[in-house]
C-alpha cells in the first residue's frame, strides 16, 4: 500500500483530552482507567469520515507504564489494548448505519494505524518537538523503538492485523535513521505492514532538531519497508514547504511513495505552563490549507493536536465529497 487516494485521517489525542479531561502526560493511564473514552474518540473520527484512525499508543511504552506503577505484564497488556480498542471501534463503525452506507458507496474500509511516537514523547518534556536528547545513546533509542514494536506485534494477543505503522513526530535525522535500521533488522515485526515516518517540522523546511526534511527523507526513503513520508504536529503555515522538501527528495531518488500531512491547529504547546497558546496562525482552519497540500502531492491529509472530528468532517467535505 504505497499510495492512498485522497484519504483523510485525524489524531485522537486532543479529542481524548476534551472527552476525559486529560493532560498529555496521562495518556498511558487512560488505557487503564477509561478505555471506553478512547474507543469513543475513534468512533467519533470514523463517523466524521476518517479513512485512517491511529491507536492511542503514541506515548505508551513499557518503561513509561512501569514509571506509573504498573507491572511489566500489565504494561504490555495495556499497550496492546490500544490496538484492540481501535480495531473494535472499526468493527462497531462498520456495523453501524454510517458504516453500511460507506460500504454501499463502494468505499474501502477505514485503516487502523499503530502509532509509535518519538523517543522524546516518552520523556514527557516536550522534546519530541525539538529532538533535544542528543545525549541519549543511539542504542538506547534503538531499543526503545524495537521493544515497542515487539510488544505491539505480539500475535497471540492481537489476532486481527493492523494496516499501517506510523512513526510520529520524529524531530531528528538521527532518530529517523535509527527507526529505519529497526525496520530493516526486524523483518519479522509487523511483517507485510507498511510503515510511514512522520516528521515534526518547523519553518524553512526544517525538522525540529534543525536538519532539512530533504535530508531526512533522503536518508530513509530507500528502505523498502517505508511506504510513506510526511509531517505531523506542525503549524499549518510550515507544512507546504516541508511537503515540497519531502517530495523533492522522493523525486530525486525516483521513488513513488505516499506523501501525507496532519498538522496541529497552529497553537503552541507551553511545556512550563502545561497549556496551549494561540497565535495568529491558529486563526485559519486546517481545512483551509488542504487544497494547497493536495496540489503539492499529499494523498492523505488530516489533523493532529488541537484538531477535532469536526476538522476531519471539513476536510472530507472539501477534498472528497
Amino acid at each position: 500500500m504505497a499510495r492512498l487516494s485522497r484519504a483523510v485521517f485525524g489524531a485522537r489525542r486532543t479529542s481524548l483530552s476534551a472527552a476525559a479531561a486529560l493532560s498529555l502526560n496521562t495518556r498511558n493511564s487512560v488505557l487503564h482507567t477509561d478505555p471506553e473514552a478512547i474507543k469513543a474518540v475513534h468512533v467519533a473520527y470514523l463517523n466524521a469520515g476518517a479513512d485512517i484512525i491511529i491507536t492511542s499508543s503514541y506515548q505508551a511504552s513499557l518503561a513509561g507504564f512501569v514509571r506509573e506503577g504498573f507491572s511489566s505484564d500489565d504494561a504490555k497488556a495495556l499497550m496492546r489494548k490500544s490496538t484492540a480498542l481501535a480495531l473494535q471501534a472499526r468493527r462497531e463503525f462498520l456495523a453501524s448505519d454510517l458504516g453500511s452506507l460507506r460500504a454501499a458507496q463502494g468505499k474501502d474500509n477505514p485503516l487502523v494505524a499503530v502509532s509509535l511516537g518519538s523517543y522524546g514523547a516518552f520523556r514527557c518534556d516536550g522534546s519530541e518537538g525539538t529532538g533535544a536528547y542528543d545525549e541519549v545513546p543511539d542504542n538506547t533509542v534503538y531499543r526503545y523503538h524495537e521493544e515497542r514494536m515487539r510488544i505491539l506485534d505480539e500475535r497471540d494477543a492481537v489476532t486481527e492485523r493492523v494496516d499501517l505503522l506510523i512513526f510520529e513526530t520524529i524531530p531528528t535525522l538521527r532518530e529517523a535513521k535509527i527507526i529505519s535500521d529497526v525496520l530493516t533488522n526486524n523483518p519479522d515485526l509487523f511483517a507485510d505492514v507498511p510503515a510511514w515516518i512522520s516528521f515534526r517540522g518547523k519553518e524553512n523546511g526544517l525538522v525540529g532538531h534543525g536538519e532539512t526534511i530533504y535530508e531526512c527523507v533522503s536518508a530513509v526513503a530507500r528502505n523498502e519497508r517505508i511506504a510513506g513520508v510526511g509531517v505531523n504536529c506542525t503549524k499549518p503555515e510550515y507544512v507546504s514547504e516541508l511537503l515540497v522538501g519531502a517530495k523533492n527528495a522522493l523525486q530525486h531518488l525516483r521513488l513513488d511513495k505516499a506523501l501525507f500531512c496532519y498538522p496541529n491547529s497552529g497553537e503552541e504547546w507551553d511545556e512550563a505552563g502545561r497549556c496551549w497558546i494561540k497565535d495568529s496562525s491558529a486563526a485559519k482552519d486546517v481545512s483551509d490549507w488542504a487544497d494547497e497540500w493536495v496540489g503539492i502531492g499529499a494523498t492523505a491529509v488530516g489533523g493532529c493536536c488541537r484538531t477535532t472530528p469536526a476538522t476531519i468532517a471539513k476536510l472530507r467535505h472539501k477534498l472528497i465529497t
Side-chain angles (χ1 to χ4, degrees):
M1 187 195 68
R3 284 194 174 275
L4 293 169
S5 177
R6 293 287 181 93
V8 293
F9 63 114
R12 60 272 161 256
R13 294 187 285 276
T14 300
S15 286
L16 187 55
S17 296
L22 307 171
S23 73
L24 286 173
N25 287 345
T26 60
R27 200 73 61 221
N28 285 349
S29 298
V30 181
L31 282 165
H32 173 66
T33 61
D34 199 358
E36 288 299 311
I38 294 173
K39 187 177 73 173
V41 170
H42 288 315
V43 172
Y45 275 108
L46 291 169
N47 288 339
D51 296 304
I52 305 169
I53 56 172
I54 307 175
T55 63
S56 55
S57 51
Y58 173 72
Q59 286 178 303
S61 67
L62 184 60
F65 274 117
V66 170
R67 184 174 61 198
E68 293 184 20
F70 294 93
S71 70
S72 176
D73 286 345
D74 287 344
K76 292 175 183 178
L78 286 169
M79 289 176 69
R80 293 168 187 146
K81 182 183 284 189
S82 67
T83 303
L85 289 168
L87 292 169
Q88 184 179 356
R90 179 172 64 180
R91 289 194 298 271
E92 292 183 8
F93 169 76
L94 291 174
S96 70
D97 290 343
L98 279 175
S100 298
L101 177 61
R102 182 185 179 108
Q105 293 172 338
K107 297 174 182 175
D108 292 337
N109 287 346
L111 306 180
V112 171
V114 169
S115 168
L116 294 160
S118 67
Y119 183 84
F122 155 73
R123 289 158 58 102
C124 298
D125 60 0
S127 59
E128 71 260 48
T130 63
Y133 39 93
D134 293 332
E135 77 286 356
V136 178
D138 287 2
N139 62 355
T140 299
V141 179
Y142 183 100
R143 288 196 304 270
Y144 172 77
H145 287 292
E146 184 181 55
E147 179 183 71
R148 296 175 80 213
M149 285 185 67
R150 195 167 297 283
I151 292 170
L152 289 167
D153 192 43
E154 177 56 56
R155 306 299 175 89
D156 293 337
V158 181
T159 56
E160 185 178 354
R161 300 298 285 154
V162 298
D163 306 290
L164 186 63
L165 300 179
I166 306 182
F167 292 90
E168 300 188 271
T169 325
I170 306 304
T172 73
L173 172 62
R174 176 179 75 123
E175 189 163 8
K177 288 180 175 179
I178 290 171
I179 290 167
S180 181
D181 288 343
V182 171
L183 288 167
T184 297
N185 297 338
N186 293 277
D188 58 314
L189 295 181
F190 289 99
D192 301 321
V193 177
W196 287 0
I197 293 189
S198 187
F199 295 94
R200 172 70 183 268
K202 57 183 182 179
E203 69 277 6
N204 301 320
L206 304 177
V207 299
H209 191 258
E211 301 90 358
T212 68
I213 197 167
Y214 183 96
E215 293 176 90
C216 294
V217 171
S218 296
V220 301
R222 289 188 182 90
N223 188 322
E224 292 182 357
R225 295 199 64 185
I226 296 173
V229 293
V231 180
N232 79 290
C233 210
T234 298
K235 284 189 174 186
E237 64 192 84
Y238 300 149
V239 169
S240 292
E241 191 168 5
L242 289 158
L243 286 176
V244 169
K247 179 181 178 180
N248 287 344
L250 291 175
Q251 289 180 334
H252 180 75
L253 296 172
R254 303 190 180 202
L255 294 173
D256 182 26
K257 302 202 175 192
L259 187 67
F260 61 87
C261 63
Y262 52 114
N264 58 35
S265 66
E267 297 167 76
E268 290 275 5
W269 174 249
D270 178 5
E271 186 64 33
R274 311 299 299 163
C275 63
W276 289 92
I277 300 175
K278 291 186 177 181
D279 63 17
S280 58
S281 67
K284 196 173 180 180
D285 190 84
V286 169
S287 63
D288 294 334
W289 302 84
D291 285 334
E292 182 174 324
W293 299 332
V294 170
I296 292 168
T299 53
V301 176
C304 198
C305 292
R306 302 292 282 181
T307 63
T308 68
T311 308
I312 301 309
K314 289 179 182 178
L315 284 167
R316 184 154 200 104
H317 178 76
K318 188 163 191 175
L319 296 177
I320 298 178
T321 57

